[in-house]
Amino acid sequence: AVIIEMVRPYRAYHEPLVSTDITQLKTELSLNLRKNGSIVYWDYQHPLYVKLLSTILPLVLIISAFFTWSEVPWAGALLMVTGLLLVIPYGGQRTLVTRDRITVRWGIFGIKVLNLDVSRIDTAEIHNFSPLRDFGGYGIRFNREMQAYYASGNTGVKITTLDGKKYLIGSDRVSELAAVIEGILEAR
């Protein structure tokens, strides 16, 4: 797990924002965009249940595979493969917002699950939802109205594109994520 954590393409940036006041954040963002400065905003969701499911359960399955291997090799191999596949979600969801793109990545390998060009976005707004009722759980979900990407919580940023497609990106700091996306949209 330590080696996999070291090769993971995302490194958390734990520096606090200059200001936690959203209006101040929008002002700073607007000034930076007017100067043609670069914008890089990382948002991540890595809840405890993902950490536990992607570390403890694979460990139990891999240990079980070693004990099972000598008696039933195919069952040991199945346990080993399943254990290794369950490590993939470790790392949770990471959202990257730049001046040109919004990218959502999942898991330890940073698998790109959403890549939106900012020029295609019409609106972005904070949206409350019920994970079980609206989407049937957490993760990468779809319903008739939109595609959703979230690992925890019940609030996200709902993005509507110019062609009418809707995406929901979950966040633990939803007001900051929404402010950054709205600020970029206003500066276009």
Coordinates of all heavy atoms in Angstrom, one line a residue, residues 8-9 31 34 36 44 53 72 92-93 96 99 103 113 130 132 159 161 170 177 181:
R8 N 1.0 6.9 -6.9 CA -0.3 7.5 -7.3 C -0.1 8.9 -7.9 O 0.7 9.7 -7.4 CB -1.1 7.6 -6.0 CG -2.5 8.1 -6.2 CD -3.4 7.9 -5.0 NE -2.9 8.7 -3.9 CZ -3.8 9.4 -3.1 NH1 -5.0 9.4 -3.4 NH2 -3.3 10.0 -2.1
P9 N -0.8 9.2 -9.0 CA -0.5 10.5 -9.7 C -1.0 11.7 -9.0 O -0.7 12.8 -9.4 CB -1.3 10.3 -11.0 CG -2.3 9.3 -10.7 CD -1.8 8.4 -9.6
L31 N -9.6 38.5 -10.3 CA -8.4 39.3 -10.6 C -7.3 38.4 -11.3 O -6.7 38.9 -12.2 CB -7.8 39.8 -9.3 CG -8.6 41.0 -8.6 CD1 -8.0 41.3 -7.2 CD2 -8.6 42.2 -9.5
R34 N -8.4 37.9 -15.0 CA -8.2 39.1 -15.8 C -6.8 39.3 -16.2 O -6.5 39.8 -17.3 CB -8.7 40.3 -15.0 CG -10.2 40.5 -15.2 CD -10.6 41.9 -14.7 NE -11.8 41.7 -13.8 CZ -12.0 42.2 -12.6 NH1 -11.1 43.0 -12.1 NH2 -13.0 41.9 -11.9
N36 N -4.9 36.9 -17.0 CA -4.5 35.7 -17.7 C -3.7 34.8 -16.9 O -2.8 34.1 -17.5 CB -3.9 36.1 -19.1 CG -4.9 36.6 -20.0 OD1 -6.1 36.3 -20.0 ND2 -4.4 37.5 -20.9
Y44 N -11.0 17.1 -3.3 CA -11.0 15.7 -3.2 C -12.0 15.2 -2.1 O -12.3 15.9 -1.2 CB -9.6 15.2 -2.9 CG -9.0 15.7 -1.6 CD1 -9.1 15.0 -0.4 CD2 -8.3 16.9 -1.6 CE1 -8.5 15.5 0.7 CE2 -7.8 17.4 -0.5 CZ -7.9 16.7 0.7 OH -7.3 17.2 1.9
L53 N -12.5 0.0 3.1 CA -12.8 -1.0 2.1 C -11.7 -1.3 1.1 O -11.6 -2.4 0.6 CB -14.1 -0.6 1.3 CG -15.4 -0.8 2.0 CD1 -16.6 -0.2 1.1 CD2 -15.7 -2.2 2.4
V72 N -7.1 -25.4 -2.9 CA -8.0 -25.1 -4.1 C -7.3 -23.9 -4.8 O -7.6 -22.7 -4.5 CB -9.4 -24.8 -3.7 CG1 -10.3 -24.6 -4.9 CG2 -10.0 -25.8 -2.7
G92 N -10.0 7.7 -3.5 CA -11.3 8.4 -3.6 C -11.4 9.2 -4.9 O -10.9 8.8 -5.9
Q93 N -12.1 10.3 -4.8 CA -12.4 11.1 -6.0 C -11.6 12.4 -5.9 O -11.6 13.1 -4.8 CB -13.9 11.5 -6.0 CG -14.3 12.5 -7.1 CD -15.7 12.7 -7.1 OE1 -16.5 11.8 -7.3 NE2 -16.1 14.0 -6.9
L96 N -10.2 18.2 -10.5 CA -9.3 19.3 -10.9 C -10.0 20.3 -11.8 O -10.6 19.9 -12.8 CB -8.1 18.7 -11.7 CG -7.1 19.6 -12.3 CD1 -6.4 20.4 -11.3 CD2 -6.2 18.9 -13.2
R99 N -8.5 26.6 -15.9 CA -9.1 27.6 -16.7 C -9.9 27.0 -17.9 O -10.9 27.5 -18.4 CB -8.0 28.5 -17.2 CG -8.5 29.6 -18.2 CD -7.3 30.4 -18.6 NE -7.8 31.8 -18.6 CZ -7.4 32.8 -17.9 NH1 -6.4 32.6 -17.1 NH2 -8.0 33.9 -17.9
T103 N -11.8 18.1 -14.6 CA -11.5 16.7 -14.7 C -11.8 16.0 -13.4 O -11.4 16.5 -12.3 CB -10.0 16.5 -15.1 OG1 -9.8 17.2 -16.2 CG2 -9.7 15.0 -15.3
V113 N -12.6 9.8 -15.1 CA -14.0 9.4 -15.4 C -14.9 10.6 -16.0 O -15.9 10.3 -16.5 CB -14.7 8.9 -14.1 CG1 -14.0 7.6 -13.7 CG2 -14.7 9.9 -13.0
S130 N -30.3 13.3 -2.6 CA -30.3 12.2 -1.7 C -29.5 11.0 -2.4 O -30.0 10.5 -3.4 CB -31.7 11.7 -1.4 OG -31.7 10.5 -0.7
L132 N -29.1 7.8 -1.9 CA -29.8 6.6 -2.1 C -31.1 6.7 -3.0 O -31.3 6.0 -3.9 CB -30.2 6.0 -0.8 CG -29.0 5.4 0.0 CD1 -29.5 5.0 1.4 CD2 -28.4 4.3 -0.7
I159 N -23.6 20.8 -13.0 CA -23.1 21.5 -14.2 C -24.0 21.1 -15.4 O -24.3 19.9 -15.6 CB -21.7 21.1 -14.5 CG1 -20.8 21.5 -13.4 CG2 -21.2 21.6 -15.9 CD1 -19.4 21.0 -13.5
T161 N -24.4 21.6 -19.5 CA -23.6 21.9 -20.7 C -24.5 22.7 -21.7 O -25.8 22.7 -21.5 CB -23.0 20.7 -21.4 OG1 -24.0 19.8 -21.8 CG2 -22.0 20.0 -20.4
G170 N -19.7 15.8 -6.7 CA -19.8 15.9 -5.2 C -18.5 16.5 -4.7 O -17.4 16.4 -5.3
L177 N -15.9 24.9 -4.5 CA -15.8 24.3 -5.8 C -16.8 25.1 -6.8 O -16.4 25.5 -7.9 CB -16.2 22.8 -5.8 CG -16.2 22.1 -7.1 CD1 -14.9 22.1 -7.8 CD2 -16.7 20.7 -6.9
I181 N -15.7 27.3 -10.2 CA -16.3 27.1 -11.5 C -17.1 28.3 -12.0 O -17.0 28.7 -13.2 CB -17.2 25.8 -11.4 CG1 -16.4 24.6 -11.2 CG2 -18.0 25.6 -12.8 CD1 -17.1 23.3 -10.9

